[in-house]
Amino acid sequence: EPEVTQTPSHQVTQMGQEVILRCVPISNHLYFYWYRQILGQKVEFLVSFYNNEISEKSEIFDDQFSVERPDGSNFTLKIRSTKLEDSAMYFCASSSRQANQPQHFGDGTRLSIL
Amino acid sequence: GQQVMQIPQYQHVQEGEDFTTYCNSSTTLSNIQWYKQRPGGHPVFLIQLVKSGEVKKQKRLTFQFGEAKKNSSLHITATQTTDVGTYFCAGRMTGGFKTIFGAGTRLFVKA
């Protein structure tokens, strides 16, 4: 069964450094999402992406965050200047051609900011 | 802002007992999805409800969507140890792409 893949599985970064989290969505999916989950807490919506642009974003997704689909397969989340509170699990998800379809999640990237 | 409240936060049951988790949205939803997350894992899609008053079943799991499309529930009949994990509801806001997750209910099942 097709899967959403995320790399790396764990990223350790110094505070203030830039970090890029990578995702390869399911190949025929058109809608892409990033979520984060602080340890022990709920899953929080960050951003949705469709047709090469952001379709919606949350209050969390400030100017420090950006997303990109640099080629036909990758979908990246960049955090420009990381803060301690950015430490969390970041999940990428994708859904198929219609907007109201289930989202398939990747295994996540655990981001640890020191 | 838009919120999806989920209760209870935790539930301890004896194997064989039933379990229910409830979600309530502050606004009318386009649809609601349910996910299960095992410790250390990622959310795994269980089901999506779209229609007002919809009820769906998956073996021992029964999902309901309220008439006003603002609340939902997941009921597990005769829990098994394999049911352990955190169950999240996730509401899709009307007219948008944003999905708001509930805080989750963590289920513990004692054999």
Side-chain angles (χ1 to χ4, degrees), chain A residues 16-107:
Chain A
Q17 295 296 306
E18 175 183 286
V19 66
I20 297 176
L21 310 182
R22 302 182 192 281
C23 170
V24 178
I26 294 173
S27 62
N28 63 347
H29 283 188
L30 298 180
Y31 295 85
F32 314 115
Y33 310 85
W34 282 101
Y35 293 86
R36 81 172 184 191
Q37 186 177 32
I38 295 169
L39 186 63
Q41 299 187 23
K42 68 177 180 180
V43 177
E44 298 175 291
F45 172 83
L46 293 178
V47 66
S48 60
F49 191 88
Y50 170 71
N51 199 26
N52 284 319
E53 60 183 21
I54 291 173
S55 45
E56 198 157 359
K57 59 183 180 179
S58 72
E59 312 77 40
I60 302 168
F61 195 87
D62 62 22
D63 292 343
Q64 293 299 312
F65 291 87
S66 62
V67 290
E68 197 177 32
R69 187 154 162 83
D71 52 43
S73 59
N74 290 285
F75 179 50
T76 61
L77 174 69
K78 183 194 287 187
I79 308 175
R80 286 191 187 79
S81 179
T82 50
K83 304 185 284 285
L84 292 175
E85 52 266 38
D86 293 328
S87 295
M89 183 72 101
Y90 287 81
F91 291 108
C92 172
S94 69
S95 62
S96 65
R97 292 183 172 273
Q98 295 174 311
N100 271 349
Q101 292 302 302
Q103 296 171 51
H104 297 261
F105 282 74
D107 287 340

